[in-house]
Amino acid sequence: MPEPLNQRSEPPAERLAERLEKPELDNRTYRVIRLPNKLEALLIHDVDTDKASAALDVNVGAFSDSKDMPGIAHAVEHLLFMGTEKYPVENDYNLYLSSNSGYSNAYTASTSTNYFFEVAASSTPSSSRSSSRNDTGDNLPTLESKSPLYGALDRFAQFFIKPLFLEETLDRELRAVDSENKKNLQSDVWRLHQLAKSLSNPQHPFHSFSTGNLDTLKNEPLKRGVKIRDEFIRHYETHYSANRMKLVVLGKESLDELESWVEGFFSPVVNKELPQNRWDDVQPFTENELMTQIFAKPVMDSRSLDIYFPYPDEDDLFESQPSRYLSHLIGHEGPGSILSLLKAKGWANGLGSGKMQVCPGSAFFTISIRLTEDGLKEYQEILKIVFQYIAMLQETQPQKWIVDEIREMAEVDFRFKQKSPASKTTSHLSGVMQKPLPRDRLLSAESVIKKFDPEGIANGLAHLRPDNFRITIISQQFPGDWPEKERWYGTRYKCEKIPLTLLAELEEAARSTKSTRPSSIHLPQKNEFIPTRLEVEKKDVAEPAKFPKLVRNDANVRTWFKKDDQFWVPKANVHFTLRTPLCWMTPLAYMLTRLYRELVEDALSEYAYSAEIAGLSYDISHHEQGLDIKVGGYNDKLSVLLEKVLSTMRNLEIKDERFQMIHERLHRSFKNWHWGQPYRQINHYSRWMTQQGGWTNDQGLEELPTITVDDVRNFSPQLLRQFHIEVLAHGNLYREDALRYTDLIERTLRPHPLPSSQWPTMRNLVLPRSSNFVYKRELKDPENINHCIEYLLFVSNDIDRVTRAKLLLLAQLAEEPVFDTLRTKEQLGYIVFSSSVVRTTLAGWRILIQSEQTPEYLESRIEAFILSFGKTLEEMSQDEFEGYKISLINKRLEKMKNLGQETARFWAHINTEVFDFEQAYEDAALIRPLTKPDMLEFYRNYIAPSAPHRAKAAVHLRAQALAPTDDFFGQSDKILALTTKILNQLGVGNIDETKLAGRLEKVNLDATGDEQGNHGIINAIRSFLESDTGIAKDEVASIIDKGKAVLADLLSLAKPATATNGAEAPNGTVNGVDQADGTHLDTINSGPKPVVIEDVPKWKAGMEIGRAARPVKDLTEFEELEPKL
């Protein structure tokens, strides 16, 4: 335990700053200290927080990888989680966090590695807001005298004092790194970024492969005789030093107490006096890489032109930030901008620009332009326009009024900046601390511009020259030949010098004058949306109101209103739904509505851009109930933007050429969806399966080619002809403002009322008890090697509060064991998680895994976990159980951090039409009295494979591509670990792994495809049980018979042809069932055989339909139709 400050014998920490420049509303206090070992820490005392957090950023990342082991920094990041000398159990850290409402994560960047966690600020249930049942939580015990932050910091500090790098965890975590890399192999973001790196200067670390894989971190080093563990320890010892570390700690405790803890826990970190990493003597692009054009073929159907200019490192210019001036103008979307001209020509749909920091010592200024089909053909003309615009900037010289406008808006944003989640705060600020900033400006330096620096702007602009750039043209069609293949991701590309004729034309464009360049290129006008009225009427309240009031409720409109009573920012959000069944009736109607939405957004793009950079935004979406429109930001000019959005919706003029571009872009978007990550696709299908209606993306895509511009012109008036209006006005507003906005919506759109009897109703299917449904689809991306499964257990189709509380607690109890078993220990894949699933009236629990293993095998391991989880629950101590309850209660009662979060919560409850605004407080009140017997009963009734009320559905997404066969197979250590686990689940304890390994070593795994090999592992296990355990033969026979299917499925680990090539699981198992004798994997005929859904609409037609959502109480109880006197 750390000693108190006044009892420590070491020199006290040096205090570097205590009065940090901070937002006006920030009630936190701050202190920056430097420990004697030169580790710097920012301490944050937040008396109101219900979450504590810490983050530590180490000034070492992928750029410090050894050239013969790319990815080693990333691997070390993974391994630090796998146990320390003080806390050797590998999941102790995550288990502690999970039992205290927390979580952890880390990332490896180019020049830093960032570790962070979040945990409950108190070990007792949150009582910051009383529940509607007036239960303060006093009946729950206090489990620790210190806050959870204390124990978390102790465990966290050990990462940087004495990590173990346990030999037995190396292979598993290297496979996690490998799985993480494979997850990204078909991602264009990763592929194109690596292509830019691979085609950079080989002498600069930007050139390297950062993620790492099994070949770079294990297979190739082993061939060279490298001792893997020794290399990881050497990397850690070489690069990790206290003077390279920046720590941020946020908690409820006083600054003095936090300082005492940090001193006690982090002073032992060794200071090796390592220099801060910089790369000043080498640049990513040399003359070899500049003046080249790269043609890259993406996985998704996309088109873009990316321009890279080598640019100076501006870290020391934080007071003026010259590149913000350039990105503001070059990336502008209003009249006079590059994008405005390109859109008028039909060549582009979007443009972004800005400084991209590579590392200390180098940067790029990038311009990325999303091209149309015509724009792709005219990319050289687009380049000329870019350089003509740059010439205009050079000619006009830096404008102080533009910098003043940027500065004023930045100051307003900083002044009214609201709190963000604790771990987001600490992780971000620990990275900021690596920069050469005054310690009293750590919060403000990146945001606030202090001075106008025309020389700095001119210097930055001088780097945007036609002899100092490189371009990448991304397209699946152009130029048609890509002879080269990038090493790490396999991206096809072509690289060549830019033609001299084009360079000459660009030189001429860069010298253009006002008379020779297009007249439509000019500086933007002054921004009329910048807010000037920033007053907030702040009133003290005993407790913030838990729900909005219904201030209008008639046949046409319902208006909900809440004046902000806790965040006190000059902002507001106005959300409204135009309730109509028309936009979701058929896939055709869905696509017509989607086109209408995107055409409205396209028509508003120039106008709304000025509002956006002044802190105002809008969004249009649609769903089963109708159109959703959201307008929010500084309330001063909010009504101006709202009126423009409404009038554009009402009076939309659809131009043929813009329709064609939007139509083509939407078509590509729907096609590209199938090339996304499998785990991001799978929920689309599970929702479709369980909803009464709904459509798949494929069904929408089938309708799109037939839709014409006249179809949308004819449809949009019908869409707006009849609907009901539901409004939420929330923020720095008065009741009169809410009603005025409602009148504006009604007056502008002029709808015919939609009777409540015709409102769309959302219903879900009722899965019968003891059901076991499986829906299988094949991924459309032929190169993706990752399968995916979403395994769902439904517990209610008309959920009551008590069942909901039990479901939420079950999800909390299972979350860490799921991850530890299926991700950490079994290494099924990088993407593994579980959660509750609540969809208005439908409720359940799910496990999702993305993996190179087949969905059938993944399902067998999920079933095995669920079976073993019952034992985990039974053996859980009362203190552990109470800790999980407290953790969940604190999650449910977690405070909102900003106005937007509270608006989103209100709107979610309004959209469901349940209006259960106090749901979180009701949940907490009903979780408190739950007992372990309650949860065991719940598990046995709904979750266990033999549960009588179990209703299960699984979605399998099967990959077409083959996984490399040497990654998961022929691994004796993995076979041994899984065999041991399976035998434990079958009741065999005290296993002598040395003897079991000896039996398994005699099995010829290469022969598992024939009749003899199929029984090799099973016979080895039988011999072990009969000869090495003393178990009677008849009992051995029973064990083998019970576990035969799962033991056979284990052979899928030994033979790549059955485990990853898309064939059925070995021994005829499908969905975890042995087709020969019907034995379910890991269970004893305890569950129903699976029913494979071949035709979803036909299957849905045979299911019962659940009840629709109903308000928790009569809406009159929310009404406040007359103003209070």
Side-chain angles (χ1 to χ4, degrees), residues 793-813:
L793 296 174
F794 295 102
V795 302
S796 176
N797 291 280
D798 188 23
I799 190 166
D800 61 275
R801 291 197 187 278
V802 175
T803 302
R804 175 186 164 87
K806 292 177 180 178
L807 173 66
L808 294 174
L809 183 54
L810 176 99
Q812 177 73 21
L813 292 165

Side-chain angles (χ1 to χ4, degrees), residues 20 63 174 277 332 337 397 459 568 697 745 791 831:
L20 274 66
F63 280 11
L174 291 183
N277 279 313
H332 209 281
S337 66
Q397 299 299 309
N459 180 52
W568 313 118
N697 283 342
I745 296 166
Y791 183 105
I831 302 295

Side-chain angles (χ1 to χ4, degrees), residues 62-72 201-205 207-209 216 224 231 235 487-488:
F63 280 11
S64 298
D65 286 351
S66 55
K67 288 191 175 182
D68 57 357
M69 284 189 75
I72 190 171
N201 177 11
Q203 302 308 310
H204 194 283
H207 178 80
S208 66
F209 170 51
T216 67
R224 300 193 301 269
E231 284 302 306
H235 180 90
R487 175 183 178 185
W488 301 108

Side-chain angles (χ1 to χ4, degrees), residues 412-424:
V412 169
D413 285 339
F414 181 73
R415 177 184 170 190
F416 296 106
K417 185 178 181 181
Q418 299 173 79
K419 291 180 181 178
S420 57
S423 60
K424 185 176 180 181

Side-chain angles (χ1 to χ4, degrees), residues 8-207:
R8 295 194 57 81
S9 56
E10 296 88 347
E14 179 186 359
R15 294 184 179 177
L16 305 180
E18 293 202 68
R19 289 183 153 314
L20 274 66
E21 185 175 21
K22 65 181 186 177
E24 183 177 296
L25 300 171
D26 189 351
N27 65 343
R28 293 166 171 164
T29 56
Y30 300 85
R31 178 183 295 165
V32 184
I33 63 172
R34 183 189 293 125
L35 300 182
N37 62 2
K38 296 190 179 178
L39 183 149
E40 279 191 22
L42 168 62
L43 312 175
I44 306 174
H45 164 59
D46 186 345
V47 68
D48 296 325
T49 190
D50 48 18
K51 284 296 177 82
S53 176
L56 189 144
D57 193 277
V58 191
N59 177 223
V60 58
F63 280 11
S64 298
D65 286 351
S66 55
K67 288 191 175 182
D68 57 357
M69 284 189 75
I72 190 171
H74 183 207
V76 166
E77 170 227 303
H78 275 245
L79 287 160
L80 291 197
F81 287 81
M82 294 294 106
T84 62
E85 188 175 85
K86 186 173 182 180
Y87 296 100
V89 177
E90 65 182 62
N91 71 328
D92 178 271
Y93 175 63
N94 286 329
L95 190 61
Y96 179 87
L97 296 178
S98 177
S99 63
N100 286 286
S101 310
Y103 71 96
S104 68
N105 211 335
Y107 64 84
T108 303
S110 298
T111 62
S112 69
T113 307
N114 192 284
Y115 302 84
F116 57 92
F117 70 81
E118 187 170 288
V119 73
S122 170
S123 59
T124 56
S126 172
S127 57
S128 58
R129 300 182 190 178
S130 61
S131 79
S132 61
R133 297 172 182 263
N134 299 316
D135 190 338
T136 64
D138 294 337
N139 58 324
L140 282 172
T142 299
L143 300 185
E144 295 187 50
S145 58
K146 294 283 187 183
S147 82
L149 176 61
Y150 182 87
L153 279 175
D154 186 13
R155 289 160 174 82
F156 186 55
Q158 300 306 310
F159 284 26
F160 314 102
I161 297 170
K162 194 63 177 178
L164 292 178
F165 293 94
L166 293 170
E167 191 78 52
E168 58 267 30
T169 68
L170 289 181
D171 189 68
R172 284 194 273 111
E173 285 310 303
L174 291 183
R175 292 184 186 284
V177 171
D178 189 65
S179 180
E180 184 176 354
N181 178 60
K182 286 173 177 167
K183 171 181 71 72
N184 300 323
L185 288 179
Q186 289 297 100
S187 166
D188 280 328
V189 172
W190 287 87
R191 292 165 67 90
L192 295 170
H193 182 59
Q194 184 60 52
L195 179 62
K197 287 157 60 75
S198 294
L199 295 178
S200 67
N201 177 11
Q203 302 308 310
H204 194 283
F206 182 69
H207 178 80

Side-chain angles (χ1 to χ4, degrees), residues 824-870:
T824 303
K825 290 188 170 66
E826 296 194 21
Q827 283 297 312
L828 295 180
Y830 183 73
I831 302 295
V832 176
F833 61 85
S834 63
S835 68
S836 58
V837 178
V838 181
R839 300 172 187 159
T840 310
T841 58
L842 186 70
W845 177 66
R846 69 168 177 165
I847 295 178
L848 186 149
I849 305 174
Q850 180 174 296
S851 171
E852 294 161 69
Q853 303 278 32
T854 62
E856 289 79 12
Y857 179 73
L858 298 176
E859 182 156 338
S860 76
R861 301 315 307 146
I862 292 171
E863 290 280 1
F865 168 79
I866 291 173
L867 187 65
S868 67
F869 182 63

Side-chain angles (χ1 to χ4, degrees), residues 664-936:
E664 189 272 339
R665 186 177 71 192
L666 186 60
H667 190 268
R668 282 190 292 119
S669 174
F670 269 71
K671 281 177 57 182
N672 287 338
W673 181 85
H674 289 287
W675 267 252
Q677 293 278 13
Y679 79 94
R680 296 189 183 279
Q681 298 182 41
I682 200 164
N683 184 249
H684 173 73
Y685 296 112
S686 63
R687 291 185 72 92
W688 174 54
M689 281 175 57
T690 54
Q691 288 176 328
Q692 178 185 13
W695 322 106
T696 66
N697 283 342
D698 286 333
Q699 290 172 301
L701 190 58
E702 288 171 4
E703 299 290 349
L704 193 55
T706 66
I707 298 175
T708 66
V709 64
D710 285 335
D711 290 332
V712 181
R713 287 173 178 149
N714 294 329
F715 176 77
S716 56
Q718 298 301 315
L719 183 64
L720 299 180
R721 183 176 180 182
Q722 183 182 24
F723 52 80
H724 175 266
I725 303 171
E726 185 110 48
V727 182
L728 169 65
H730 176 221
N732 189 37
L733 302 169
Y734 292 95
R735 182 179 186 278
E736 293 73 19
D737 297 317
L739 294 173
R740 182 165 50 85
Y741 290 146
T742 302
D743 290 342
L744 177 62
I745 296 166
E746 196 173 19
R747 184 175 67 251
T748 305
L749 299 180
R750 305 188 299 277
H752 183 68
L754 182 73
S756 59
S757 61
Q758 298 174 33
W759 292 3
T761 302
M762 294 187 294
R763 295 176 185 267
N764 293 296
L765 303 185
V766 178
L767 271 65
R769 294 179 179 180
S770 299
S771 57
N772 182 4
F773 296 108
V774 182
Y775 178 57
K776 302 183 179 184
R777 289 186 73 101
E778 186 175 77
L779 289 170
K780 291 195 174 182
D781 182 355
E783 302 299 323
N784 200 317
I785 62 174
N786 294 296
H787 306 279
C788 192
I789 181 173
E790 186 173 23
Y791 183 105
L792 299 117
L793 296 174
F794 295 102
V795 302
S796 176
N797 291 280
D798 188 23
I799 190 166
D800 61 275
R801 291 197 187 278
V802 175
T803 302
R804 175 186 164 87
K806 292 177 180 178
L807 173 66
L808 294 174
L809 183 54
L810 176 99
Q812 177 73 21
L813 292 165
E815 183 179 15
E816 198 282 331
V818 166
F819 188 85
D820 183 57
T821 301
L822 302 179
R823 160 67 155 73
T824 303
K825 290 188 170 66
E826 296 194 21
Q827 283 297 312
L828 295 180
Y830 183 73
I831 302 295
V832 176
F833 61 85
S834 63
S835 68
S836 58
V837 178
V838 181
R839 300 172 187 159
T840 310
T841 58
L842 186 70
W845 177 66
R846 69 168 177 165
I847 295 178
L848 186 149
I849 305 174
Q850 180 174 296
S851 171
E852 294 161 69
Q853 303 278 32
T854 62
E856 289 79 12
Y857 179 73
L858 298 176
E859 182 156 338
S860 76
R861 301 315 307 146
I862 292 171
E863 290 280 1
F865 168 79
I866 291 173
L867 187 65
S868 67
F869 182 63
K871 188 176 181 181
T872 302
L873 272 179
E874 289 175 356
E875 296 177 351
M876 184 177 292
S877 72
Q878 190 61 34
D879 278 354
E880 284 182 286
F881 181 77
E882 295 295 341
Y884 279 113
K885 282 171 55 180
I886 291 171
S887 180
L888 178 59
I889 290 168
N890 285 338
K891 281 184 181 179
R892 295 303 296 140
L893 297 181
E894 185 175 347
K895 296 176 183 176
M896 248 72 63
K897 303 298 186 293
N898 51 60
L899 183 73
Q901 284 187 357
E902 188 173 47
T903 303
R905 175 180 284 189
F906 289 158
W907 191 237
H909 290 308
I910 292 169
N911 258 338
T912 63
E913 294 188 80
V914 178
F915 309 105
D916 196 2
F917 299 108
E918 297 181 89
Q919 183 184 75
Y921 316 114
E922 294 284 351
D923 287 343
L926 290 167
I927 291 163
R928 286 186 174 106
L930 291 178
T931 64
K932 200 169 84 166
D934 291 336
M935 295 310 298
L936 281 168

